[in-house]
Amino acid sequence: VWMVENIQHINDKFFTNFKLKQYYIIYTDLKRSVLGFLPVLSWLPRYSLRDNALGDLTSGISVGIMHLPMGLAYSLLAGTPPVYGLYTSFYPVLVYIIFGTSKHISMGTFAVTSLMVGTVTQTLAPNSNYMTLNGTNGTAVLDSTALYNDRVQIASSLTVLCGIFQFAMGLLQVGFIATYLSDPLVRGYTTGAGIQVVLSQLSSTFGISTSLYTGPLSQVYLLIDVCRHLPMTNIGAVVITLVSLVVLITVKELNTCYAKKLPAPIPIELIVVSTIISYYANLNGLYKVAVVGQIPRGLLAPRNPDISLWGSVAGSAFALAIVGYAISISLGKTFGLKHGYKVDSNQELIALGACNLVGGFFQCHFVTPALSRSLLQETTGGKTQMVGLVSSVFMLIIILEIGTLFQQLPKAVLACIVYVNLKGIFVQFWDIPALWKSNKVDLMVWLVTLVCTILLNLDMGLAVAVAFSIITVIVRSQLPNYYILGRVPGTEIYLDIDAYEEVKEIPGVIIFRSSTTMYYTNAELYLDALQKKSGIDTGKLITQKKKREAEEKRQAKTEENKAKKESLTQVNWAFEKSSEAGFPGDDLKTQKSSTNGDGEMGSSHNKHTLILDLSTASFVDTVTLKTLRNIFKDFKEIGIATYLTGCQGEFCVVEQLSIAGFFCESIPKSCLFATVHDAVLHSLRVHGDKDIILYDYALVSGTFWNLSLRICSFPINI
């Protein structure tokens, strides 16, 4: 009874502990998931006021000051009234505080993405659809109220769809999709889009009106239209542009030169805006200079997106989502690497999707980090996401109280702010000489992307650029380099015999390596290169062998028939002759022996082993399987054993070979070896080549020597 009771007690305790452990594992996983999905719960409780508050406050105010002119200017790029740029600089920033993992990127408006939104809004809601006739004089009048209402609806609906795409991709853990946008492609694309931004602002710079152009060559038509209207230039707009450019560029250069001495950069954008408002409040009335217009106070209620538009903007929304994410993650990882913290790619995709999803309901247009604001946030001492909260409070004050002061702000000033903040993009033209020296293929991708982005619209230009980039990868993988390897004396290192003079071939052994994965597009090239590099044409040798065997068989048959015929007619004579001169078959044996001595496969090429180094292989397709089977079969037929090396590290390669039924009686798993050196040692042991010195004891440590002997004494059977 005592034993039963104690055993029962032990069992109850065991199961209780087991359940507690299971609950703890579930709790830990749930906590990790919640903290990963809502990073604010991780960093906010540990926020240090003493270490971070002052820097975040200063940085937040500086970033908020920059949000004001950029929001106004980039909202015009998006085709919406300026006040919606202020909303875009407020709501999404608050959302990123909750979901974002980067401490230094500044979420908000960005020139390239704003222009992409503007392309969609102006295409679906062109000015021509909102022209009405004046009943008094019969002139056409633009119904700006209806025009901007529809464009805001289009922009917000597009933004919601972009947010859904990004949020869904983040949940599905497909953040890797941005890797298909290479760095030269992204930089070429943003440079081309920056040129489009400049062209779109020329009308505000010169104070002229131009027509709307969309589709391929639209920028060419726009430039021609600008040149056609230059005689109607507004002198007041040009003067404002020149003065603003001089002031902005001068002060920004001073900020750069004296960055270490200044406690914070001079907020020149806000000063220029305030100066223009104070001294030129009536420019619109006196000189007909175009101004921002009405900026209402207060926040707007949420508004449902127009789902009926999603079908016509789906392609643009997906392109915008990918471009925005590529810009965001590149900036985030750059700052994360510099300051020693991790930026989660998939969580950033979720954060960006949440910003656009929520912002779209509050009639914001697409957001992504801007390089100029992010650099400002870093250089002014920002250390956490709390900077976004400070800048949002600053923007809220502007929206609720002082936004109306900027109604008479000339659009030419906003155009100048756009020009100056594009400096970081146009610096990328220095990529051309750098890529010319380092990688001409990447230079081609950069230039093709730039040209396609300018001549085609942004969506089509991106699609063509991605296609061209993928084609360059395919072409380079179809034209890899192939090597015959030899051993560096005294080591187990095997290098290209054509590139290094000290490298020596192993007698009787062919070691072949490709610089890239073998797959269906280059499998035939792989086989051709193997035969060319090794000097062994298996097809020709097999054909010669078959002809010789057929000839030998024919001669044997002829001699056999001749012997039978002679035996029937002259048995006694044949017996006597055979006793004196030997059997007729001796001539055949002599002939066969001569043939073997002159034409046997092994003696003609003097090789007994082929080693295929598959260390560059990352996957195996059906064409590769077929090619490898043919190599094993053909080389075995001419007396050469084939081994595979280097694929044990990529377990998926061995697993794919096994699943596909590659290994069989003729191709056993014992043909797999961990390294090239293992296969060489096994080959030399099998063929009795024991006089070759494989190691120099002065170069190889005793421990490694003993380990190598133990490993290489047997073929590695995976």
Side-chain angles (χ1 to χ4, degrees):
V1 172
W2 178 84
M3 290 178 62
V4 170
E5 289 178 352
N6 278 273
I7 290 173
Q8 183 67 34
H9 173 71
I10 292 172
N11 287 338
D12 292 342
K13 187 175 181 181
F14 170 78
F15 284 113
T16 301
N17 291 337
F18 179 76
K19 290 180 180 178
L20 289 175
K21 186 176 181 181
Q22 292 296 109
Y23 292 149
Y24 178 75
I25 293 174
I26 294 173
Y27 166 76
T28 304
D29 292 342
L30 181 61
K31 179 181 178 181
R32 187 185 301 112
S33 300
V34 172
L35 292 180
F37 186 72
L38 299 172
V40 66
L41 300 179
S42 178
W43 63 264
L44 186 58
R46 299 196 298 267
Y47 185 80
S48 174
L49 290 174
R50 183 177 62 182
D51 296 335
N52 302 326
L54 181 60
D56 287 346
L57 179 63
T58 304
S59 180
I61 295 174
S62 301
V63 171
I65 291 173
M66 184 172 277
H67 265 304
L68 170 61
M70 293 180 75
L72 295 173
Y74 295 160
S75 184
L76 296 178
L77 285 178
T80 60
V83 69
Y84 290 91
L86 302 182
Y87 301 150
T88 304
S89 302
F90 173 67
Y91 291 108
V93 178
L94 291 175
V95 176
Y96 186 79
I97 296 172
I98 300 173
F99 293 96
T101 59
S102 175
K103 302 176 183 179
H104 294 92
I105 63 175
S106 175
M107 198 63 62
T109 56
F110 183 54
V112 173
T113 54
S114 297
L115 181 64
M116 295 177 72
V117 173
T119 301
V120 177
T121 57
Q122 293 173 13
T123 301
L124 297 182
N127 292 351
S128 58
N129 291 355
Y130 298 87
M131 303 299 292
T132 58
L133 292 177
N134 190 324
T136 305
N137 53 19
T139 58
V141 178
L142 177 66
D143 186 356
S144 58
T145 302
L147 171 66
Y148 285 121
N149 283 339
D150 288 350
R151 286 187 176 179
V152 168
Q153 181 72 2
I154 294 169
S156 61
S157 300
L158 173 67
T159 301
V160 170
L161 185 57
C162 290
I164 292 174
F165 282 149
Q166 292 174 327
F167 199 84
M169 288 190 293
L171 292 178
L172 295 175
Q173 305 287 299
V174 292
F176 66 87
I177 196 170
T179 59
Y180 289 99
L181 302 180
S182 64
D183 188 60
L185 187 148
V186 172
R187 293 174 72 86
Y189 182 79
T190 53
T191 305
I195 293 175
Q196 287 204 22
V197 170
V198 171
L199 293 176
S200 69
Q201 294 300 298
L202 291 179
S203 59
S204 298
T205 299
F206 294 104
I208 58 179
S209 297
T210 57
S211 301
L212 173 66
Y213 299 97
T214 59
L217 301 179
S218 59
Q219 300 307 303
V220 177
Y221 299 142
L222 175 61
L223 184 59
I224 294 173
D225 197 13
V226 169
C227 295
R228 186 186 301 118
H229 287 84
L230 282 179
M232 294 176 282
T233 298
N234 187 309
I235 302 300
V238 174
V239 172
I240 292 172
T241 299
L242 294 176
V243 172
S244 300
L245 280 177
V246 170
V247 174
L248 285 169
I249 294 174
T250 302
V251 177
K252 278 189 171 290
E253 290 301 318
L254 291 175
N255 283 337
T256 303
C257 293
Y258 297 98
K260 295 182 179 180
K261 297 182 179 180
L262 293 172
I266 302 173
I268 187 59
E269 287 90 351
L270 184 62
I271 293 175
V272 169
V273 168
S274 302
T275 303
I276 294 296
I277 293 174
S278 302
Y279 292 93
Y280 300 100
N282 197 28
L283 286 175
N284 179 252
L286 295 176
Y287 300 101
K288 305 299 181 183
V289 175
V291 296
V292 168
Q294 184 180 7
I295 300 179
R297 289 183 178 181
L299 299 172
L300 298 178
R303 181 181 180 184
N304 291 327
D306 188 354
I307 300 177
S308 63
L309 294 172
W310 285 359
S312 56
V313 302
S316 300
F318 185 76
L320 193 55
I322 297 299
V323 171
Y325 172 64
I327 295 170
S328 176
I329 196 61
S330 62
L331 285 177
K333 286 188 177 294
T334 299
F335 288 118
L337 185 64
K338 181 177 179 180
H339 295 276
Y341 62 88
K342 182 181 179 182
V343 176
D344 189 333
S345 300
N346 291 303
Q347 181 59 31
E348 282 299 295
L349 197 51
I350 291 175
L352 196 59
C355 290
N356 287 304
L357 188 59
V358 174
F361 279 96
F362 286 93
Q363 303 176 56
C364 304
H365 58 80
F366 188 84
V367 296
T368 199
L371 176 61
S372 55
R373 284 197 314 271
S374 300
L375 288 174
L376 178 64
Q377 179 169 327
E378 181 204 23
T379 55
T380 52
K383 296 181 180 180
T384 69
Q385 292 92 322
M386 193 62 71
V387 174
L389 180 62
V390 177
S391 67
S392 296
V393 172
F394 183 86
M395 292 304 301
L396 182 62
I397 294 173
I398 292 175
I399 294 171
L400 296 179
E401 297 297 333
I402 62 177
T404 54
L405 297 178
F406 302 99
Q407 293 182 157
Q408 295 300 315
L409 175 65
K411 291 183 179 180
V413 174
L414 297 181
C416 293
I417 293 173
V418 171
Y419 296 152
V420 173
N421 283 290
L422 287 174
K423 175 187 174 183
I425 289 180
F426 290 134
V427 168
Q428 295 175 155
F429 275 108
W430 289 109
D431 291 352
I432 296 176
L435 291 175
W436 175 262
K437 295 178 181 179
S438 61
N439 193 316
K440 291 182 175 57
V441 175
D442 284 346
L443 176 60
M444 289 177 58
V445 172
W446 197 99
L447 292 175
V448 168
T449 304
L450 175 72
V451 173
C452 290
T453 304
I454 296 173
L455 297 183
L456 308 176
N457 58 41
L458 293 173
D459 297 345
M460 189 180 300
L462 178 63
V464 173
V466 171
F468 180 78
S469 179
I470 293 175
I471 288 173
T472 61
V473 174
I474 294 173
V475 170
R476 280 188 282 185
S477 67
Q478 283 184 294
L479 300 173
N481 295 319
Y482 299 101
Y483 315 100
I484 294 294
L485 306 183
R487 188 175 64 88
V488 178
T491 71
E492 63 172 21
I493 300 173
Y494 291 82
L495 301 174
D496 181 15
I497 61 174
D498 295 329
Y500 302 93
E501 294 181 357
E502 297 297 324
V503 173
K504 305 297 181 183
E505 275 194 88
I506 304 298
V509 179
I510 304 168
I511 308 172
F512 184 72
R513 175 189 292 167
S514 170
S515 63
T516 188
T517 299
M518 176 173 55
Y519 64 111
Y520 70 95
T521 64
N522 61 16
E524 187 175 351
L525 296 175
Y526 184 94
L527 186 57
D528 292 342
L530 172 60
Q531 296 187 2
K532 182 178 179 181
K533 288 281 187 178
S534 65
I536 299 176
D537 189 341
T538 55
K540 184 177 180 180
L541 292 176
I542 292 173
T543 301
Q544 291 177 356
K545 179 181 178 182
K546 290 181 178 180
K547 287 182 178 180
R548 184 171 56 256
E549 289 177 348
E551 180 65 21
E552 291 174 355
K553 187 175 181 181
R554 188 185 62 79
Q555 290 180 359
K557 187 68 174 177
T558 302
E559 293 296 335
E560 183 180 356
N561 292 336
K562 182 178 179 181
K564 287 182 179 180
K565 184 177 180 181
E566 290 179 352
S567 65
L568 291 175
T569 56
Q570 299 178 354
V571 177
N572 294 332
W573 180 83
F575 178 79
E576 293 175 358
K577 292 290 292 180
S578 63
S579 299
E580 297 175 359
F583 286 94
D586 291 344
D587 294 335
L588 178 59
K589 292 179 181 178
T590 303
Q591 187 176 12
K592 284 185 180 180
S593 178
S594 174
T595 303
N596 285 337
D598 296 335
E600 184 65 30
M601 294 293 105
S603 61
S604 63
H605 50 66
N606 197 28
K607 302 293 182 182
H608 53 70
T609 303
L610 170 64
I611 299 174
L612 301 179
D613 183 2
L614 301 183
S615 57
T616 58
S618 57
F619 64 92
V620 177
D621 62 7
T622 55
V623 178
T624 302
L625 288 170
K626 183 179 179 181
T627 302
L628 290 176
R629 286 195 184 102
N630 290 337
I631 290 173
F632 271 84
K633 175 178 172 293
D634 293 344
F635 277 85
K636 182 178 181 181
E637 194 165 348
I638 61 175
I640 297 179
T642 304
Y643 301 141
L644 302 179
T645 68
C647 57
Q648 84 289 345
E650 299 286 349
F651 179 71
C652 61
V653 174
V654 179
E655 185 178 23
Q656 290 175 40
L657 290 172
S658 300
I659 293 174
F662 176 76
F663 300 107
C664 56
E665 185 177 354
S666 60
I667 308 177
K669 282 191 175 182
S670 59
C671 70
L672 289 173
F673 292 87
T675 65
V676 171
H677 193 66
D678 297 337
V680 170
L681 290 178
H682 175 71
S683 173
L684 297 181
R685 180 174 63 84
V686 169
H687 292 86
D689 298 329
K690 301 184 181 297
D691 296 330
I692 299 176
I693 299 175
L694 294 175
Y695 282 102
D696 184 347
Y697 286 93
L699 298 176
V700 184
S701 65
T703 303
F704 186 77
W705 165 250
N706 294 330
L707 177 62
S708 298
L709 284 180
R710 287 196 301 271
I711 293 177
C712 301
S713 296
F714 307 97
I716 295 179
N717 188 0
I718 299 179

